[in-house]
Amino acid sequence: MDDDSREAGDRELAERVQRGGDEEAFRALYRRHTPYLYQFVLRLLDGREAEAEDVIQDTWLRAVAALSGFRWESALRTWLTGIALNRAREILRKRGRWPGALPNTVPDPGPPPRVPDRIDLERAISALPPGYRAVLVLHDVEGFTHREISERLEIAVGTSRSQLHHARRAVRQALHRDQRGDE
Amino acid sequence: MSDARGSEEPTPEEREGFRRLPRERTPGDLLEERVVRALRARDLLAGRPGSDSSRGRWRPPSWLVAAAAVVLFLSGVGVGQWMGVRTTTGAFRAVREQDAARAADQVQAAGSAYVRALTRFAQLSPDSRPEEVTQGREAALGALVAASEILVLLEPGDPALGALVRVLEERRGSPPDTTSTHRVYWF
């Protein structure tokens, strides 16, 4: 399904939910977007499934309650992602782990010599402090710009760049360790 | 869309690594029901046509009642003891203090946690000491029995639930207790 037809479908389903509380329409929306949102949130919350499920539930509750105010100036998925991101940050703040810190003195080991194994990469990302992890996931995995990240995380663009720099360095270090271990 | 500084750009190998990461993962089916029920409870969804759960009095299907009650007790009694998680008392307090819809949400969340914990237990069992495996299995079974007995109190006329209690009690090697209406479980 291309983006345009998906957006048109989203809009029609969302209007049915908003107008009449149509459960079938909601379930269709849920099934379209939840797998993406769940993976995204799970990555931000370092794989904690129970918390990720709570975030998904809250995201849909907030989204459906606020549907009438959604202007369709962005894709529905983008809007939902923003809600989920905010909710995940709230949880990380409650845990006292947002944004977290990385030592500035970590030397850059250089890029890994080969394509990183998926599991190693997931592990390296999950080991990052939450704030750094969010920036790396949003930028390098999801393709957001620093400006978009700064707006969503309420940080300066420079902070986003700096955190990405340190996050990549930490990920590279972890991948070097893993790849050395494989040899 | 990305605009990283040149010297920090990921290498092609790193980009490929990021590109290969999965973008989607489907959560358990229980989550969809939990979300739908939460939306209904807030009058944000009307429910399916013909469903008596649309507005006002909410009456879940018996299988959902069964699943919810089982997972609540299993999460507290069985896995709670086995995994060292001792938050069930707080969960019960919260359940009492909140309305039925929220309580049902908690039951379902506890159920998801229970299933994950049991799955983890099953994965670890082959490498664990036999007495630990037995202990975990007994704890899980004891919780099943406890939950099924509460279920009978919820739906006393349901023959399937009665049969479930009998089967579980037999499995445990003790006769079913059909006379008592209250039993205390310690966590």
Side-chain angles (χ1 to χ4, degrees):
Chain A
M1 185 187 298
D2 62 39
D3 288 349
D4 285 345
S5 59
R6 181 167 70 189
E7 193 164 337
D10 282 349
R11 194 160 190 158
E12 183 195 333
L13 291 167
E15 282 172 359
R16 283 167 55 192
V17 172
Q18 189 190 330
R19 275 201 310 268
D22 186 326
E23 181 179 322
E24 296 300 336
F26 172 75
R27 286 181 185 272
L29 277 179
Y30 175 96
R31 289 169 190 169
R32 270 184 187 201
H33 297 291
T34 295
Y36 167 79
L37 294 171
Y38 185 62
Q39 175 65 81
F40 172 68
V41 169
L42 206 54
R43 201 166 270 140
L44 293 179
L45 295 174
D46 53 60
R48 298 183 188 220
E49 293 180 355
E51 287 182 340
E53 289 184 358
D54 288 345
V55 168
I56 295 301
Q57 174 170 331
D58 288 348
T59 297
W60 281 114
L61 289 177
R62 291 179 186 191
V64 173
L67 259 182
S68 59
F70 181 50
R71 299 294 168 216
W72 297 94
E73 290 164 357
S74 66
L76 181 69
R77 176 167 292 188
T78 306
W79 183 58
L80 292 170
T81 303
I83 297 172
L85 174 61
N86 284 338
R87 186 68 190 95
R89 285 170 65 206
E90 287 170 18
I91 285 181
L92 290 165
R93 280 205 186 94
K94 274 186 193 166
R95 276 201 233 155
R97 297 192 59 203
W98 181 272
L102 276 173
N104 279 328
T105 54
V106 177
D108 190 343
R114 59 174 188 264
V115 176
D117 176 77
R118 187 176 67 79
I119 294 172
D120 291 341
L121 187 53
E122 290 279 21
R123 190 187 301 130
I125 293 172
S126 74
L128 290 170
Y132 293 78
R133 183 167 61 238
V135 171
L136 184 109
V137 168
L138 288 169
H139 191 281
D140 284 353
V141 181
E142 302 298 338
F144 284 73
T145 65
H146 283 298
R147 180 164 299 284
E148 289 167 336
I149 293 169
S150 74
E151 289 167 359
R152 281 168 174 75
L153 299 184
E154 299 168 289
I155 57 176
V157 169
T159 304
S160 174
R161 289 184 190 281
S162 169
Q163 290 193 342
L164 180 66
H165 170 74
H166 291 296
R168 282 181 179 159
R169 185 179 285 193
V171 166
R172 283 175 175 171
Q173 277 213 324
L175 292 175
H176 271 273
R177 276 196 303 273
D178 288 329
Q179 293 192 353
R180 274 201 305 271
D182 291 344
E183 289 163 1
Chain B
M1 197 160 30
S2 296
D3 58 357
R5 283 180 287 183
S7 62
E8 296 171 1
E9 282 290 323
T11 63
E13 288 80 12
E14 287 174 316
R15 284 186 194 284
E16 180 62 15
F18 286 125
R19 195 190 63 75
R20 287 184 187 177
L21 291 176
R23 294 300 193 279
E24 294 196 347
R25 186 186 303 196
T26 304
D29 291 341
L30 287 176
L31 181 60
E32 180 175 334
E33 299 308 320
R34 176 178 147 194
V35 172
V36 166
R37 203 170 55 247
L39 287 166
R40 282 188 201 142
R42 288 160 182 78
D43 270 351
L44 293 168
L45 280 187
R48 288 191 173 102
S51 165
D52 64 356
S53 62
S54 55
R55 307 242 176 203
R57 186 172 68 93
W58 178 69
R59 183 176 174 76
S62 60
W63 67 266
L64 191 56
V65 172
V70 165
V71 295
L72 174 64
F73 277 85
L74 287 177
S75 64
V77 181
V79 181
Q81 287 189 340
W82 176 246
M83 302 294 283
V85 178
R86 296 180 179 277
T87 58
T88 311
T89 304
F92 270 95
R93 192 178 303 121
V95 166
R96 278 201 304 273
E97 290 168 355
Q98 297 188 17
D99 59 58
R102 286 183 185 276
D105 285 347
Q106 289 181 329
V107 167
Q108 202 139 27
S112 298
Y114 168 71
V115 171
R116 281 194 300 274
L118 255 195
T119 303
R120 178 86 176 130
F121 173 58
Q123 289 169 343
L124 293 175
S125 291
D127 300 324
S128 303
R129 289 185 299 174
E131 61 270 26
E132 290 173 339
V133 175
T134 303
Q135 182 188 349
R137 197 185 296 133
E138 285 302 313
L141 185 59
L144 260 176
V145 173
S148 65
E149 288 173 352
I150 298 297
L151 274 175
V152 170
L153 296 180
L154 284 173
E155 298 276 345
D158 190 329
L161 289 177
L164 177 65
V165 171
R166 282 192 295 278
V167 167
L168 288 172
E169 290 280 12
E170 285 167 12
R171 170 66 182 77
R172 269 189 116 194
S174 61
D177 182 355
T178 56
T179 56
S180 67
T181 55
H182 294 284
R183 184 175 290 188
V184 177
Y185 300 99
W186 298 97
F187 307 111

